[in-house]
Amino acid sequence: MGLTKTEIFTDEQNQLSTLLKALAHPARIAILQRIMTFNTCVCGDLVEELGLAQATISQHLKELKNVGIIKGTVEGVSVCYCINPVTWELLEKQVGAFLKSYKGEANCC
């Protein structure tokens, strides 16, 4: 299977894959946990709290924002980030449905 054959998969499969790929880094999980804890976040706070370089934090924020998991607003020289509730609901629904589709066969393997 080639990397460019996304057209053979459903829109839902491609969308879920894109969202999960954006989540698939421990720094991004930590960023999201920080945002959820305080319901808003300024990038400088993340640098101090996570101990990563500003450029690294910015790249992770960019990836999360590009797929719509977070959104940000400019406030002077700072950018304030929060969870995008529309995408979060979609992610929760799709991941939940995917995980619940396993029927748990007892005599497998």
Side-chain angles (χ1 to χ4, degrees):
M1 178 172 80
L3 293 176
T4 59
K5 294 206 175 195
T6 56
E7 69 276 354
I8 66 171
F9 302 104
T10 67
D11 289 342
E12 187 175 279
Q13 289 167 333
N14 283 310
Q15 186 176 43
L16 182 57
S17 173
T18 299
L19 290 170
L20 290 175
K21 192 182 302 183
L23 291 175
H25 193 287
R28 294 182 195 153
I29 298 297
I31 288 168
L32 289 170
Q33 288 173 327
R34 170 87 164 108
I35 292 171
M36 287 185 287
T37 298
F38 295 100
N39 202 28
T40 180
C41 181
V42 176
C43 191
D45 292 344
L46 290 170
V47 171
E48 293 171 20
E49 186 166 313
L50 299 179
L52 298 172
Q54 174 69 51
T56 302
I57 295 286
S58 293
Q59 183 61 39
H60 288 303
L61 288 167
K62 179 182 173 188
E63 293 296 323
L64 292 168
K65 191 172 179 188
N66 282 346
V67 298
I69 293 174
I70 62 171
K71 54 186 180 176
T73 56
V74 177
E75 295 179 4
V77 295
S78 298
V79 181
C80 187
Y81 292 96
C82 63
I83 300 294
N84 181 345
V86 173
T87 306
W88 198 261
E89 267 186 48
L90 176 70
L91 182 60
E92 185 178 24
K93 179 181 172 186
Q94 287 186 351
V95 169
F98 175 70
L99 293 175
K100 287 178 184 175
S101 68
Y102 174 65
K103 302 301 179 209
E105 294 296 321
N107 51 354
C108 174
C109 302

